[in-house]
Every structure is written in structure tokens, then in C-alpha cells.
Amino acid sequence: MSGMEFDLESRLSDDDHQALKLWLRLLSCTTRIEDQIRQRLRADFGTTLPRFDLLAQLERHPDGLAMRELSKRLMVTGGNVTGITDQLEAEGLVLRETHPDDRRSFIVKLTPQGLRQFKRMAATHEAWIVELFAGWTPAQKTQVQELLAQLKTHLKDNTP
Amino acid sequence: MSGMEFDLESRLSDDDHQALKLWLRLLSCTTRIEDQIRQRLRADFGTTLPRFDLLAQLERHPDGLAMRELSKRLMVTGGNVTGITDQLEAEGLVLRETHPDDRRSFIVKLTPQGLRQFKRMAATHEAWIVELFAGWTPAQKTQVQELLAQLKTHLKDNTP
DNA sequence: TATTGTTATACTCTATAACTATA
DNA sequence: TATAGTTATAGAGTATAACAATA
């Protein structure tokens, strides 16, 4: 489905509605970039965004994370974390260790192979992002970054 | 899954990587807003974003659209348009008319009920958006709007 | 009783491919 | 041959709920 002529932004029929126009454009850009990332992760590494995100969390936490910590951080329910972890474990990228203090719990960690593999993917991933955002100058990036920070605060306040 | 402490932005571990940070923040904000919209469409109107988007296209085209036109505009494959149209037709919101010149084709149109229902949803939807973006001044909205237009051009050029 | 993790199930959204009727 | 639409199927990605083991 590449090279389409239309997209979500064409939903709008009239010229007012500033917030709505802005939202449709924001959604359109973000979706387009996300689709690119998903396609490239699949084509180049045979993986998916949720799997990549789980590995990224583990890379930030070399001592590992319990399943429920992963669930909170990835904002998905526990059953999903079990499924993704099963896949990554089968690929030898992560392992479950018993929790020393709580026998209900597991600590999930990157294997050495998982760390190597993630680092390789992360570097490529960052290069894709840099390329996709090359349409903005560093100053413009900073500007949007700050505006988004402000918006995020508002979203947090309004939608608990 | 409301009231989470973490989100995608926490994926990043260090302070450089301007484009990557920007992307994670953009994705985080957009996802959060989109989740809100999906939840509210379901709770208040028992519908989904793709169904809403299809109705929106039809409202822009009172003479109706062929299935393949809908497919192009919604950027999904034909089988999906058939499915969504079936649902909306079963709910009495759209109807298929025979094409006068091409007996392979249908023209999909809003029913009067569909138009009334869409207008009600669209007004509420816009109010949600206005509220969610209330963290930005009109000038800031304009600014982001223009920056996104620029980014979109770059994306189009780079990812055909 | 509450919590951690697993299992089972289901739903939405999407794509691909085979099929039909028509052009 | 090519196109419009349908059908069937598959696979992400997600949620809910019942469950076992442990706290």
C-alpha cells in the first residue's frame, strides 16, 4: 500500500477547525513514520515494534525487570508480555530468571546475544529516524520537542 | 490501562539523540490521543476509528464513492472496505447503489440516518480534539501545523 | 485476600490471494 | 487481459477473565 494519493488528512472538508486539522495532520505524519519503522523492522530484522520495545526496556535495565514491570512500562496487559517474552526467549534474546525474594515472579534479562542483537537494531533504527526527520532543522526539532512536552503535560492533567 | 506511570518515551537512556527523542515523544503524544479517541468513540457511539473514517469520506462526497475509491482514500485494501461497508450497511448508515455505467461497481452513500448520525459524532469528536489540544495556543497550533506540513513533504519525497 | 504470571479466548484491523462477474 | 468487488484465511496486536502458585 505504498504511493497512495490520499490519506487521513483528506477527511476534512472545510477550512476552519484548526485543532481538528492539526490533529489529522499529526496523525497522518506519525502513522506514516510508524508504518515505515514497522516495515523496516520486519524486512531488515524480522521483528516487530512491541518486541523491539521490550528489548529496549531491558537494555535500559541490565539487572532485568519483572513481568509486571514490563507490563507497566510497555502499557500492555500481562498476557501480552508473556507472549512476547515467550517469543524472545525462544529466539535466545532474553531469559527468565527466578526472583530471589518472590517465587511467584520472574526477572527477565537480555542474553549476551540479545544485547548484541538489540544494539545492532537500535543503531539502525536511530539512523532511520534521523533520516525521516531530516526535513527539520535542529532548531525546529527542539521547538517541536518543547511544544510536545507542553502538550503531554496537558494530556496527563486532562486524561488520567 | 489508564493512569500508567510509564510510556514509550521512557525507552531512551541517554541525553543525546535529538531526532530519536523527538520521535519517541511524538509517538507517545499521538498514541495517547488516538487511544483516547478510540475509547470515546466506542464508549459514546459504539463505533471504531475506521468506521468513523469511512463515514467521514462519504460525508465529503454526497454523490457517493465506489469501493475502490474508498479503498484508496482510507489506504486499506479492498477486502477491508467490503467488511467495514457490510457493517455500516447492516446498521443502516450507508447503502450500496448500482453504478449506472459499470455493473461491476457499487456506489456507497450515506443514508439520511447515516448522515445525521455522522454529524452528531463528528461534532462531538471535534470537541474532544479541541479539548485535547487546549494545551497549545492558536499560534502554537499554527506553528506545529506548518512544521508538520514541511515534514510531510520530506516524508513524501523520501518514502514513496 | 491480593498479587504474579500463565492460559484460553475473542475482537479489531490489516494483508494476501483465489474467485466472480464484468469491462 | 484487466478491473471491481467479494470471500476466505492468516497474522499482528490487543483485551478480558479464569486459573495456579505464592505472598
Side-chain angles (χ1 to χ4, degrees):
Chain A
M1 296 298 298
S2 287
M4 306 256 36
E5 289 173 69
F6 303 102
D7 72 7
L8 290 172
E9 218 183 315
S10 69
R11 191 200 283 168
L12 208 59
S13 55
D14 106 44
D15 268 359
D16 301 320
H17 314 304
Q18 187 188 27
L20 188 50
K21 282 186 70 171
L22 172 59
W23 165 238
L24 294 178
R25 183 163 292 175
L26 184 63
L27 184 57
S28 164
C29 285
T30 304
T31 303
R32 204 171 282 211
I33 293 169
E34 199 179 358
D35 285 351
Q36 280 289 316
I37 301 299
R38 283 185 200 277
Q39 281 174 31
R40 294 184 191 189
L41 278 177
R42 172 156 305 283
D44 291 14
F45 298 111
T47 196
T48 65
L49 215 34
R51 269 184 278 199
F52 182 80
D53 287 342
L54 194 152
L55 295 177
Q57 289 297 337
L58 293 184
E59 194 240 5
R60 290 193 63 204
H61 298 273
D63 294 337
L65 289 169
M67 302 293 276
R68 63 176 297 280
E69 280 299 316
L70 283 167
S71 170
K72 282 203 292 187
R73 289 183 150 78
L74 299 170
M75 296 196 293
V76 296
T77 51
N80 299 308
V81 175
T82 297
I84 299 171
T85 303
D86 287 349
Q87 295 173 338
L88 294 171
E89 196 170 25
E91 293 168 23
L93 303 181
V94 307
L95 51 82
R96 286 172 166 93
E97 287 184 356
T98 56
H99 189 114
D101 301 338
D102 186 341
R103 288 191 313 187
R104 293 170 307 180
S105 186
F106 293 113
I107 305 292
V108 186
K109 286 185 182 173
L110 286 177
T111 63
Q113 186 200 340
L115 180 59
R116 279 200 308 276
Q117 170 75 351
F118 175 73
K119 280 184 170 160
R120 214 169 345 120
M121 294 195 296
T124 305
H125 173 263
E126 179 160 356
W128 295 336
I129 299 298
V130 168
E131 171 209 330
L132 289 164
F133 283 90
W136 284 343
T137 64
Q140 288 175 324
K141 291 194 193 89
T142 302
Q143 201 175 16
V144 178
Q145 177 92 8
E146 282 163 7
L147 287 166
L148 288 171
Q150 191 178 330
L151 180 66
K152 200 166 170 179
T153 304
H154 177 78
L155 293 176
K156 262 193 184 120
D157 293 349
N158 260 38
T159 61
Chain B
M1 298 296 299
S2 288
M4 308 255 35
E5 288 173 70
F6 303 102
D7 71 7
L8 290 172
E9 218 183 314
S10 68
R11 191 200 284 166
L12 208 59
S13 54
D14 103 46
D15 267 0
D16 299 321
H17 314 305
Q18 186 187 28
L20 187 51
K21 282 186 69 171
L22 172 58
W23 165 240
L24 295 178
R25 183 165 291 178
L26 184 63
L27 183 58
S28 163
C29 284
T30 305
T31 303
R32 205 172 281 212
I33 294 169
E34 199 179 359
D35 285 351
Q36 279 289 316
I37 301 298
R38 284 186 200 278
Q39 281 174 30
R40 294 184 190 188
L41 279 177
R42 173 156 304 284
D44 291 13
F45 298 111
T47 196
T48 65
L49 216 32
R51 271 184 275 198
F52 182 79
D53 288 342
L54 193 152
L55 295 177
Q57 288 297 336
L58 295 183
E59 193 240 4
R60 291 193 62 205
H61 298 273
D63 295 337
L65 290 168
M67 302 294 275
R68 63 176 296 282
E69 281 297 317
L70 282 168
S71 169
K72 282 203 293 185
R73 289 184 151 77
L74 299 171
M75 297 196 293
V76 296
T77 51
N80 299 308
V81 175
T82 297
I84 299 172
T85 303
D86 286 349
Q87 295 172 340
L88 293 171
E89 197 170 26
E91 294 168 22
L93 303 181
V94 308
L95 50 84
R96 286 170 166 94
E97 287 183 357
T98 57
H99 189 114
D101 301 338
D102 186 340
R103 287 191 312 187
R104 293 171 305 180
S105 186
F106 294 112
I107 305 293
V108 187
K109 287 185 183 174
L110 286 177
T111 62
Q113 188 201 339
L115 181 58
R116 278 200 309 275
Q117 170 75 352
F118 175 73
K119 280 184 170 162
R120 212 166 351 120
M121 292 194 297
T124 305
H125 174 263
E126 180 161 356
W128 295 335
I129 300 298
V130 168
E131 171 209 330
L132 289 164
F133 283 91
W136 282 345
T137 65
Q140 288 175 324
K141 291 193 193 94
T142 302
Q143 201 176 15
V144 178
Q145 176 92 7
E146 282 162 8
L147 287 166
L148 288 171
Q150 191 180 329
L151 181 66
K152 199 166 171 180
T153 304
H154 176 79
L155 292 176
K156 259 191 186 122
D157 295 347
N158 258 38
T159 60

